[in-house]
């Protein structure tokens, strides 16, 4: 099968290699990548035989929406667009409606696997019509992990269902990562435990908390046992926020994922105004000691 792929960054470039390795032809376009096979979207479309399939792997939001709008004017009736980025599911209905005006087909595909996907495969969650999904199945089979299809790929539902599923997946990921991180911090704080990286590694087999995320934490600690080379700053790409918003909309209690999201916000504050207020209140009502100044020059005081 022939595929046009827009966006050859860390994910897109690796996906192109995996698809080619499976025997398919990939024509890649990225204005910022030397690996680009063509110099424009128009040239990409001209290089593909009808009916064309173009997979988008660019940042969510305006970059994706702009690319969809450009493709709507360049492609021909019957061609297909697949958004494999981290778009919000509400964008999918708008993208599908715009393309439908030009008799173009649309699928949304949540993709998980990160930089490791090129070798081990990508978990795929697809939204769209059954007919359109069947048309793109050879590409999905090239990208997914080896083994039973249903263990690494799903047709989740109509347009939007793929990105909705990936959104929830990433919300769960927030909670799992936060739990591992808190466990690591407690182990590091306990003088009784002398080999914290060893304990984490010992959980890798036979325990109920073993997972690929745990394996990645083991790898990180092997490379930097105290994680001294990292700043305690954690960004969020949107899916965690959207998951919590959907939980509120559907009245689904989600305390773990919500807490994990807010923990990321806390990581971005050098001096949390909220925690300063808590310290001030504790000092006022209970005479508890407070710290003044930076961490290295902190002094303790009590109210007079």
């Amino acid at each position: 099968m022939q595929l046009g792929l827009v966006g050859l960054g860390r994910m897109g470039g690796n996906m192109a290699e995996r698809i080619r390795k499976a025997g398919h032809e990939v024509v890649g376009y990225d204005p910022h990548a030397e690996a680009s096979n063509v110099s424009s979207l128009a040239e990409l479309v001209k290089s593909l035989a009808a009916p064309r399939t173009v997979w988008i792997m660019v940042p969510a939001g305006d970059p994706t929406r702009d690319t969809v709008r450009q493709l709507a004017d360049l492609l021909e009736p019957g061609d297909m667009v697949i958004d494999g980025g981290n778009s919000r599911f509400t964008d999918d209905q708008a993208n599908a409606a715009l393309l439908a005006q030009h008799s173009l087909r649309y699928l949304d595909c949540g993709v998980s696997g990160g930089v490791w996907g090129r070798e081990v495969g990508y978990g795929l969650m697809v939204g769209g019509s059954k007919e359109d999904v069947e048309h793109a199945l050879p590409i999905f089979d090239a990208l997914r992990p080896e083994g039973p299809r249903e263990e690494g790929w799903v047709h989740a539902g109509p347009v939007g269902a793929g990105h909705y599923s990936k959104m929830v997946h990433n919300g769960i990921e927030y909670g799992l990562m936060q739990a591992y991180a808190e466990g690591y911090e407690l182990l590091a704080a306990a003088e009784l435990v002398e080999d914290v990286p060893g304990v984490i590694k010992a959980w890798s087999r036979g325990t109920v908390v073993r997972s690929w995320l745990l394996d990645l934490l083991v790898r990180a600690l092997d490379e930097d046992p105290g994680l001294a080379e990292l700043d305690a700053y954690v960004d969020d790409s949107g899916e965690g926020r959207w998951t919590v918003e959907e939980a509120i909309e559907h009245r689904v209690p989600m305390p773990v994922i919500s807490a994990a999201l807010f923990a990321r916000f806390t990581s971005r504050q050098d001096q949390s105004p909220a925690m300063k207020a808590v310290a001030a209140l504790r000092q006022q009502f209970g005479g508890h000691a407070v710290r003044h100044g930076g961490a290295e020059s902190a002094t303790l005081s009590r109210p007079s």
Side-chain angles (χ1 to χ4, degrees):
M1 184 172 176
Q2 190 183 48
L3 179 75
L5 201 155
V6 182
L8 301 172
R10 286 178 297 177
M11 285 282 284
N14 285 341
M15 290 169 65
E17 289 188 30
R18 185 172 177 86
I19 295 169
R20 290 183 179 119
K21 187 176 180 180
H24 302 287
E25 179 186 355
V26 178
V27 180
Y29 168 66
D30 190 322
H32 307 294
E34 294 181 359
S36 187
N37 303 118
V38 293
S39 59
S40 67
L41 276 178
E43 187 178 347
L44 173 75
V45 171
K46 289 181 180 179
S47 67
L48 300 173
R52 303 168 184 83
T53 300
V54 179
W55 188 303
I56 302 173
M57 286 299 294
V58 302
D62 287 339
T64 294
R65 289 189 285 267
D66 290 344
T67 302
V68 170
R69 283 193 287 266
Q70 293 180 61
L71 288 172
D73 294 329
L74 292 169
L75 294 171
E76 297 177 349
D79 292 347
M80 176 184 293
V81 174
I82 303 174
D83 177 11
N86 284 327
S87 295
R88 183 164 183 160
F89 70 96
T90 50
D91 283 354
D92 293 316
Q93 284 84 8
N95 289 338
L98 172 63
L99 293 171
Q101 295 175 9
H102 299 262
S103 298
L104 299 170
R105 299 181 286 175
Y106 180 82
L107 297 175
D108 60 285
C109 183
V111 181
S112 180
V115 297
W116 299 90
R118 182 181 65 182
E119 300 300 328
V120 302
Y122 300 88
L124 305 173
M125 297 142 270
V126 185
S129 73
K130 182 178 180 180
E131 179 184 1
D132 291 345
V133 170
E134 287 290 333
H135 175 78
L137 200 53
I139 299 301
F140 297 140
D141 279 340
L143 288 170
R144 67 175 177 83
E146 295 182 5
R149 181 185 289 156
E150 63 271 17
E151 293 182 4
W153 175 91
V154 64
H155 179 194
V159 167
H163 280 144
Y164 196 100
S165 301
K166 179 57 164 44
M167 174 191 73
V168 177
H169 164 282
N170 280 29
I172 294 170
E173 179 184 291
Y174 276 44
L176 290 172
M177 292 170 67
Q178 186 65 25
Y180 285 133
E182 291 175 7
Y184 165 77
E185 181 173 354
L186 180 57
L187 287 169
E191 295 182 3
L192 185 63
V193 178
E194 297 179 346
D195 185 0
V196 174
V199 171
I200 301 295
K201 184 175 291 187
W203 294 347
S204 299
R205 295 181 184 272
T207 75
V208 296
V209 298
R210 65 189 185 275
S211 73
W212 185 47
L213 282 174
L214 183 66
D215 292 341
L216 294 178
L217 180 55
V218 169
R219 178 185 175 92
L221 290 170
D222 282 343
E223 296 174 351
D224 182 8
L227 302 181
E229 297 180 4
L230 299 176
D231 290 330
Y233 180 100
V234 184
D235 210 341
D236 70 288
S237 56
E239 293 90 345
R241 301 187 191 205
W242 304 337
T243 303
V244 172
E245 290 172 3
E246 281 297 294
I248 295 170
E249 175 68 22
H250 294 283
R251 298 179 176 85
V252 174
M254 200 167 278
V256 172
I257 294 175
S258 299
L261 173 63
F262 290 125
R264 295 195 177 193
F265 296 162
T266 301
S267 79
R268 302 168 204 172
Q269 295 178 307
D270 292 332
Q271 290 289 333
S272 168
M275 296 315 296
K276 286 183 179 182
V278 170
L281 287 169
R282 292 182 74 249
Q283 184 187 39
Q284 291 299 320
F285 71 70
H288 298 289
V290 295
R291 291 178 177 267
H292 296 283
E296 294 182 358
S297 60
T299 58
L300 295 176
S301 67
R302 296 181 181 274
S304 57

